[in-house]
Amino acid sequence: QVPLVESGGDSVQAGGSLRLSCAASGYAYSNNCMGWFRQAPGKEREGVAVLNTGTAFTYVVASVKGRFTISKDNAKNTLYLQMNGLKPEDTAMYYCVARRGGPTCSLSVLQDSANYWGQGTQVTISS
């Protein structure tokens, strides 16, 4: 069973919206730190947003703040990334990431010690 499966990527015009979903297995979703990373061609992977599945903690990076929202549906074991006001520079492969346990939750924690990475979903924004 694949722990994390992303969906929702698409090709849209600038200014449009997309909602990415990450369906987690029951075991994986018990992780308390989950988030989204992205990687554009020729660029380094970067963290976008993170949340704690057991608390109200959420964080998005400055470059997407006000446009992207990370959320979760615990009943569905699903993580979301709502993306509005999309820009060509948002074009990238987006990955869902999860870490099992641990005292802290942040993009750095996920970057350094994630237990699971999804296969990625492509987002392409045209100008």
Side-chain angles (χ1 to χ4, degrees), residues 36-57:
W36 294 93
F37 281 69
R38 67 185 181 184
Q39 187 165 23
K43 294 187 177 181
E44 292 188 356
R45 185 173 59 197
E46 63 171 343
V48 176
V50 59
L51 62 69
N52 185 313
T53 60
T55 71
F57 168 74

Side-chain angles (χ1 to χ4, degrees), residues 49-115:
V50 59
L51 62 69
N52 185 313
T53 60
T55 71
F57 168 74
T58 64
Y59 173 80
V60 295
V61 296
S63 61
V64 305
K65 193 171 185 178
R67 300 188 298 122
F68 290 13
T69 303
I70 187 171
S71 64
K72 57 186 170 69
D73 185 332
N74 289 350
K76 295 182 178 180
N77 286 359
T78 300
L79 181 74
Y80 300 103
L81 185 68
Q82 178 66 44
M83 306 186 294
N84 300 325
L86 284 161
K87 304 176 181 180
E89 51 263 44
D90 295 318
T91 294
M93 185 72 80
Y94 283 72
Y95 299 91
C96 177
V97 189
R99 187 190 188 283
R100 186 173 61 246
T104 60
C105 182
S106 68
L107 287 170
S108 295
V109 166
L110 289 177
Q111 174 74 38
D112 294 340
S113 58
N115 298 110

Side-chain angles (χ1 to χ4, degrees), residues 11-17 67 84-91 124-127:
S11 297
V12 299
Q13 290 189 330
S17 298
R67 300 188 298 122
N84 300 325
L86 284 161
K87 304 176 181 180
E89 51 263 44
D90 295 318
T91 294
T124 303
I125 311 303
S126 58
S127 59

